[in-house]
Amino acid sequence: MSSSSESLSTAFEKATYDKVALHLIPFLFICYILAYLDRVNVGFAKLQMCSDLGFSDTAYGTGAGIFFIGYLLFEVPSNIILSKVGARIWIARIMITWGVIASMQLFVSSEPIFYLLRFFLGVAEAGFFPGIILYLTTWFPSEYRARMVAWFMTAVAIAGVAGGPVSGVILETMDGVGSLQGWQWLFILEGVPSALMGLCVLFYLDNTPDDAVWLSAPERELLTKRLADDELRTASEGRPAYTVRDAFGMPEVWMLSALYFSIVMGLYGISFWLPQIIRESITADESLIGWISIIPWLSAAVVMVINGVHSDLTGERRWHIAFSCLIGSAAFALSAMPFAGGWYGIAALSVATAGIMSALSCFWSLPPSILAGSAAAAGIAIINSFGNIAGYVSPEMAGIIRDATGGRMSPVLALFSASLLLAALLTLLVSRGEGRNRSPQH
């Protein structure tokens, strides 16, 4: 009888979390696809914009990366506001403003305007990703989080899968329509949906399980109890409830920031430069470039989910992150070799992308375990915002290196390889002493 009751309880819990995941993850997934696409579609716009406006690779790298300066400055306050007013209102505000500013990039006519609009796009989007990570912790206990984050973060890969062909087609078919260039239409047609989705957030998202009318009373009770039990388990492991100020002074927060920085160097290397790499090594056809760019991102979408699920099942985080970074580092190094051009290079970059995304799918299961209460919002935002400085450094350094070496990509790929190698070493250092059978919060 006891065994039967336990079996029913387990089945009810699984059904409840499946229901929550089905309600939240696809919707947040679409939101993140739009966010990431608006952030990195400048990589496709570059194929026309830089020649139209006379921008150098360094100017492009600066504009692509300056997004993250605005992101850095407003990430922490944005995430703290979200923790106070709730995800529904604040995520809607973020999406509407970034959609408007993303569309306004059609007015780029000089380097200063390019830099200004990219900066304000970063300001507008600040708080979205870490806010969602924080939001998921109000619904899912630790043992579910890596797989939920992995599914959510596949949006980055799917943005590459869907965004590549769409961007390529827009550039090719809309060029000259209505006296606008293809790259201007690209910003309009990929920016407006974000603002419209922001309006949908106001009617769809619930701040907490207690607000969810689509859940039954027993389901809400289960979610609340499991989250409370998770907090008690965290407290029993000796983690104090840090304040927001404490978060800024914690060495672990800055170590994780450095680790995230190293991974993100490679992520935005792929995001901002993949179309250019394909143009220089395979084809100049813009529509075909979009279709070829699917390959690395589709590979990453599959591998990162497998890695996240396996990490949850085993309770192991350290080597799931470190090994992924090592694989990515080796693949970048291979892609930098003289013989690894063309399709061989795309194959190597596909492995590198899969390594990067697999590491990220497990990485975000770690920070929520460091801080509790209001400090969690600040801690996650600190790690994400300072780690994302790499989003500025990566395209900036790549542009400078290419201008200094006559447009060579090999030194840039070697830089990304070194960054991921450092990420692997930092993972082993910051997670030293972690047990294999621990839950995701460790």
Side-chain angles (χ1 to χ4, degrees):
M1 192 73 175
S2 174
S3 174
S4 176
S5 297
E6 184 176 342
S7 176
L8 287 173
S9 176
T10 301
F12 176 68
E13 177 175 328
K14 181 181 184 302
T16 299
Y17 279 109
D18 286 347
K19 183 177 180 179
V20 173
L22 187 61
H23 184 85
L24 293 180
I25 299 302
F27 183 80
L28 297 174
F29 179 86
I30 294 171
C31 291
Y32 195 33
I33 286 177
L34 295 174
Y36 197 80
L37 191 58
D38 284 338
R39 180 189 298 188
V40 305
N41 61 7
V42 70
F44 273 93
K46 177 186 187 297
L47 299 177
Q48 291 182 356
M49 183 179 69
C50 288
S51 57
D52 285 351
L53 302 179
F55 291 175
S56 66
D57 280 340
T58 299
Y60 162 73
T62 300
I66 206 169
F67 166 96
F68 295 95
I69 303 300
Y71 197 82
L72 166 65
L73 294 176
F74 289 89
E75 187 86 14
V76 173
S78 178
N79 219 35
I80 292 174
I81 292 172
L82 182 145
S83 71
K84 295 183 181 299
V85 305
R88 184 174 64 87
I89 291 175
W90 199 244
I91 294 299
R93 193 285 304 162
I94 289 172
M95 293 193 67
I96 292 169
T97 53
W98 101 49
V100 171
I101 295 172
S103 299
M104 288 176 63
Q105 290 177 106
L106 75 96
F107 297 114
V108 170
S109 59
S110 65
E111 290 178 20
I113 294 177
F114 181 40
Y115 300 158
L116 188 66
L117 286 172
R118 288 289 296 178
F119 173 83
F120 279 111
L121 184 62
V123 171
E125 195 193 318
F128 177 77
F129 176 76
I132 296 299
I133 298 299
L134 182 66
Y135 179 64
L136 291 176
T137 67
T138 66
W139 292 85
F140 297 99
S142 57
E143 60 263 37
Y144 289 90
R145 287 176 192 158
R147 76 192 78 174
M148 292 302 109
V149 172
W151 280 111
F152 170 61
M153 288 195 65
T154 54
V156 174
I158 297 303
V161 172
V166 169
S167 297
V169 169
I170 291 173
L171 288 176
E172 189 171 90
T173 62
M174 298 298 291
D175 194 32
V177 174
S179 300
L180 296 177
Q181 304 301 313
W183 60 269
Q184 293 175 303
W185 279 112
L186 178 67
F187 289 133
I188 297 171
L189 295 178
E190 293 182 353
V192 170
S194 296
L196 297 177
M197 196 66 174
L199 295 174
C200 296
V201 169
L202 288 171
F203 300 97
Y204 191 86
L205 282 192
D206 299 294
N207 288 329
T208 67
D210 290 337
D211 302 324
V213 296
W214 46 275
L215 291 172
S216 67
E219 289 169 338
R220 288 195 294 270
E221 183 179 346
L222 169 68
L223 296 178
T224 301
K225 184 178 184 303
R226 291 288 283 109
L227 289 168
D229 290 344
D230 206 48
E231 289 183 8
L232 285 174
R233 183 167 61 249
T234 298
S236 70
E237 293 172 355
R239 300 186 189 97
Y242 296 105
T243 66
V244 173
R245 180 178 297 179
D246 291 334
F248 283 92
M250 292 184 65
E252 297 91 340
V253 170
W254 297 108
M255 285 285 289
L256 286 168
S257 297
L259 167 56
Y260 189 50
F261 178 99
S262 300
I263 299 173
V264 170
M265 279 287 291
L267 172 64
Y268 288 112
I270 292 289
S271 299
F272 287 132
W273 291 99
L274 181 60
Q276 188 69 34
I277 292 172
I278 296 172
R279 166 181 269 184
E280 293 176 355
S281 62
I282 297 179
T283 179
D285 184 292
E286 290 161 351
S287 180
L288 190 55
I289 289 172
W291 286 104
I292 294 172
S293 70
I294 288 177
I295 298 171
W297 294 114
L298 188 60
S299 304
V302 174
V303 176
M304 70 182 291
V305 171
I306 294 173
N307 192 58
V309 170
H310 189 267
S311 178
D312 271 346
L313 291 175
T314 62
E316 202 283 326
R317 307 298 184 200
R318 190 184 198 210
W319 285 104
H320 281 79
I321 299 172
F323 187 68
S324 296
C325 290
L326 287 172
I327 292 295
S329 175
F332 266 131
L334 182 62
S335 70
M337 299 296 179
F339 59 82
W343 290 104
Y344 293 107
I346 295 301
L349 290 176
S350 297
V351 175
T353 307
I356 292 166
M357 297 307 301
S358 294
L360 288 174
S361 72
C362 292
F363 174 84
W364 285 110
S365 65
L366 300 180
S369 68
I370 298 175
L371 302 169
S374 62
I380 293 171
I382 290 168
I383 294 165
N384 188 62
S385 58
F386 280 89
N388 265 310
I389 294 174
Y392 173 79
V393 175
S394 180
E396 176 78 4
M397 291 188 67
I400 292 172
I401 291 171
R402 278 175 57 86
D403 281 340
T405 59
R408 293 182 61 209
M409 203 68 203
S410 293
V412 176
L413 296 171
L415 171 67
F416 299 148
S417 174
S419 180
L420 285 178
L421 178 59
L422 176 61
L425 297 176
L426 285 171
T427 301
L428 297 178
L429 181 61
V430 76
S431 62
R432 187 172 45 192
E434 296 294 342
R436 183 177 179 275
N437 296 315
R438 297 284 297 278
S439 71
Q441 289 229 19
H442 56 279

